[in-house]
Amino acid sequence: MGKERIDEQENTSLLGEACGGQVLEEAGGEDAVQNGVHNYSTKDRYVWPTDPAVLAKLEWFQDQKLGLMMHWGAYSQLGIVESWALSDADADWSRTGIDWEATGEEFKKQYFDLNKTFNPIRFEPEKWADIAKAAGTKYLLFTTKHHDGFCMWDSQYSDYKVTAADCPFHTNRYADICAHLFESFRKRELGVIAYFSKADWHVDSYWSERYERGSYQHRGPSYDPKEEPAEWERFVEFTQNQIMELGSRYGRLDGMWFDAGWVCAKNGQDIRLGEVIERVRRFQPGMLCADRTVGGPYENYVTPEQCVPDEPLGIPWESCITLGTSFSFAYEDRYKSPRELICLLADIVVKGGNLAINVGPQPNGCLPAGAVKSLLGMGEWLEVYGEAIYGTRVCAPYKKDGIGFTKKGDCVYAIETFGDENEKVSKDVWIPYEGRVEKITELDGGQELAFEKKEGGYLAHTAKETGGKAPIGRVFVLR
């Protein structure tokens, strides 16, 4: 994940654009990622699962609508983009945040030594889970390992981990961060999805100076896997072992979310992901797999990044979007307001998608105060209007004349959001829905409204005062 930084103006523009131009024409490959941002697979590359347990879990996933994504690792100490600045071939865009005097080689050494100073002694997994619950999120999507290879769990297969003796946090009672965080979320009946990078830039079976390119690295392996099959197999075994470890030692997982889309068979980097996922599913029946940008039977849902598609995709999907300006923690970041978050969430949900809203925790283990304030504000709105969000499905015309539509059972929800508190709020509400309607009520309070049938929809008449600031949004229930 992670375009290094998106300034406020650019971020607003990006989120307002459709993802249509970013959709992959072909699965996988180096073109799957531009400046650290993943594109997403097209509907024609989607393969519906045949396993009833996976299909059932997909229905569960599409009910949740809102997840909390977290990019956290030793890199949070620097307040820069996660991992990407290690790749020399990506230096042009990823090292703009490196503002101290250092050569590329010096920087990479300093970066790989961040494990020796990572000590988030204020990490409180129970508090994180409480905030997530109050924010209205329904599942956690947590970075167990980013491309830099630093493991946020007690891996038996790597010494580059939060529980290693050279990491000062290893003596803390919460040292196995994944174990404690996952359990805290499960105790609150929240789902758990493990993010895992298929690339590992720390392990020598992927990046090594033994080969012709020396220390000049790109995002792929240091060698051609076709020319070094034994070395590649060593990496495959390492990767599968870590996936099995997470899938067998860390409790119930609702899904695994695989980043680094260039690591795929099409690109000559086949880690035989399906093979290991089927092994995990023997004791984690129905566990979802999101092999980003690769398509096929192990990309159970697609993942637009930092953008929202123009229209419903007709397949399960989840937009991963930052609450601040980047996926990793940034000092003095600017966070989206509750109003921005609800407008974004509603736009995604009416198109049939989920929102994974990303927060980068601070290096000391706390969640940024500005991020928490926005999350809790979002939760306050969802406490009242969440019925129109959770468990819903797409309803034609999905979005028209400023009104979004969802449906659940025999109810249709008309969602009107206000992007600016200074917008005019009319007592007469035009609802462009052409299905049969016998009753219209306000979701907030259940007040039944008078309405008129007109060509192309219904004109409902509210009784509430409309002076003062515009609400974040209001919802009308059509029956």
Side-chain angles (χ1 to χ4, degrees):
M1 300 287 303
K3 191 172 186 291
E4 179 201 3
R5 288 283 178 270
I6 304 172
D7 66 30
E8 184 172 340
Q9 181 178 2
E10 185 180 353
N11 192 36
T12 302
S13 172
L14 182 60
L15 295 180
E17 295 175 356
C19 298
Q22 296 188 15
V23 177
L24 288 179
E25 296 301 323
E26 295 185 38
E30 289 286 335
D31 59 350
V33 187
Q34 298 295 328
N35 287 3
V37 177
H38 276 66
N39 301 323
Y40 66 97
S41 303
T42 53
K43 182 179 179 180
D44 65 329
R45 303 200 72 90
Y46 187 80
V47 176
W48 283 97
T50 56
D51 182 341
V54 177
L55 287 169
K57 183 63 78 171
L58 268 180
E59 286 298 310
W60 169 87
F61 176 76
Q62 292 177 97
D63 284 343
Q64 307 311 299
K65 301 304 180 189
L66 181 60
L68 178 62
M69 187 179 205
M70 295 181 133
H71 276 67
W72 195 37
Y75 50 79
S76 65
Q77 298 169 90
L78 301 182
I80 65 168
V81 63
E82 64 288 346
S83 298
W84 283 99
L86 290 169
S87 170
D88 297 291
D90 288 284
D92 289 347
W93 67 268
S94 66
R95 292 183 188 169
T96 57
I98 312 303
D99 53 4
W100 62 90
E101 290 295 327
T103 66
E105 292 306 304
E106 288 172 332
F107 164 74
K108 286 188 287 185
K109 183 181 185 306
Q110 291 168 351
Y111 184 108
F112 279 128
D113 279 346
L114 288 171
N115 62 310
K116 298 173 183 176
T117 52
F118 186 55
N119 194 21
I121 57 174
R122 295 186 65 188
F123 171 54
E124 296 178 90
E126 301 284 339
K127 184 178 288 188
W128 284 22
D130 283 339
I131 292 169
K133 185 82 170 179
T137 66
K138 298 298 184 181
Y139 59 93
L140 171 70
L141 172 51
F142 184 72
T143 47
T144 65
K145 181 181 78 167
H146 206 263
H147 313 328
D148 59 16
F150 185 67
C151 300
M152 299 292 275
W153 81 97
D154 186 24
S155 178
Q156 299 176 46
Y157 302 99
S158 175
D159 292 328
Y160 195 54
K161 58 184 177 179
V162 70
T163 55
D166 58 356
C167 179
F169 194 61
H170 81 277
T171 59
N172 192 283
R173 62 175 175 152
Y174 295 134
D176 193 337
I177 286 173
C178 286
H180 294 285
L181 194 58
F182 291 177
E183 196 59 34
S184 295
F185 273 70
R186 290 190 200 102
K187 281 163 56 177
R188 288 155 182 81
E189 298 183 336
L190 300 175
V192 175
I193 298 176
Y195 168 115
F196 181 91
S197 172
K198 295 181 292 183
D200 189 311
W201 295 343
H202 187 266
V203 67
D204 66 359
S205 56
Y206 197 80
W207 267 14
S208 172
E209 296 185 11
R210 299 193 306 271
Y211 298 97
E212 186 175 14
R213 65 171 51 248
S215 63
Y216 185 87
Q217 304 294 356
H218 66 155
R219 65 184 65 155
S222 304
Y223 56 90
D224 184 342
K226 293 189 184 70
E227 296 177 1
E228 303 287 343
E231 189 72 344
W232 180 253
E233 187 57 32
R234 192 161 71 92
F235 178 70
V236 171
E237 182 180 1
F238 163 79
T239 305
Q240 291 200 359
N241 283 339
Q242 287 202 320
I243 292 170
M244 283 298 300
E245 191 172 50
L246 287 167
S248 62
R249 290 181 51 208
Y250 285 82
R252 189 203 72 244
L253 294 181
D254 297 290
M256 295 194 75
W257 199 94
F258 293 96
D259 210 356
W262 62 90
V263 182
C264 62
K266 174 182 178 292
N267 207 35
Q269 299 180 50
D270 187 4
I271 61 168
R272 304 193 300 279
L273 182 63
E275 174 184 297
V276 67
I277 291 300
E278 291 305 326
R279 287 168 60 198
V280 174
R281 282 176 175 166
R282 292 174 190 169
F283 42 87
Q284 299 257 23
M287 187 190 77
L288 298 178
C289 178
D291 192 10
R292 305 186 68 203
T293 74
V294 174
Y298 295 98
E299 191 173 14
N300 298 147
Y301 59 93
V302 300
T303 57
E305 182 173 338
Q306 291 288 53
C307 64
V308 180
D310 263 343
E311 299 180 350
L313 298 182
I315 56 177
W317 63 278
E318 170 196 73
S319 276
C320 45
I321 294 176
T322 55
L323 181 60
T325 58
S326 87
F327 287 97
S328 54
F329 171 73
Y331 291 94
E332 299 182 351
D333 208 351
R334 180 263 175 194
Y335 298 101
K336 296 175 180 63
S337 68
R339 184 180 298 273
E340 290 174 289
L341 291 176
I342 292 301
C343 290
L344 175 63
L345 175 63
D347 186 43
I348 289 171
V349 169
V350 301
K351 297 170 184 174
N354 286 17
L355 168 61
I357 192 69
N358 183 91
V359 175
Q362 295 175 173
N364 68 354
C366 291
L367 300 183
V372 172
K373 182 179 179 180
S374 290
L375 289 172
L376 295 181
M378 176 177 66
E380 289 175 4
W381 190 91
L382 288 167
E383 182 68 25
V384 177
Y385 297 105
E387 180 185 325
I389 300 294
Y390 305 119
T392 61
R393 294 294 184 270
V394 170
C395 177
Y398 80 85
K399 195 170 187 181
K400 187 177 181 181
D401 299 339
I403 303 289
F405 295 91
T406 60
K407 66 180 179 183
K408 180 165 48 181
D410 60 356
C411 292
V412 170
Y413 302 94
I415 306 170
E416 183 181 27
T417 55
F418 300 92
D420 190 315
E421 64 181 25
N422 297 314
E423 285 188 42
K424 181 180 178 181
V425 183
S426 175
K427 283 188 176 182
D428 295 329
V429 182
W430 173 244
I431 302 175
Y433 177 73
E434 298 193 32
R436 182 177 177 179
V437 173
E438 296 182 354
K439 184 167 69 172
I440 299 178
T441 58
E442 294 175 324
L443 183 55
D444 177 12
Q447 177 68 41
E448 188 170 342
L449 305 180
F451 66 92
E452 305 167 53
K453 175 74 174 78
K454 293 183 176 292
E455 184 178 352
Y458 299 85
L459 186 65
H461 308 289
T462 70
K464 291 183 178 178
E465 292 297 323
T466 57
K469 295 179 180 179
I472 290 175
R474 53 186 180 173
V475 178
F476 306 95
V477 185
L478 315 181
R479 290 183 173 88

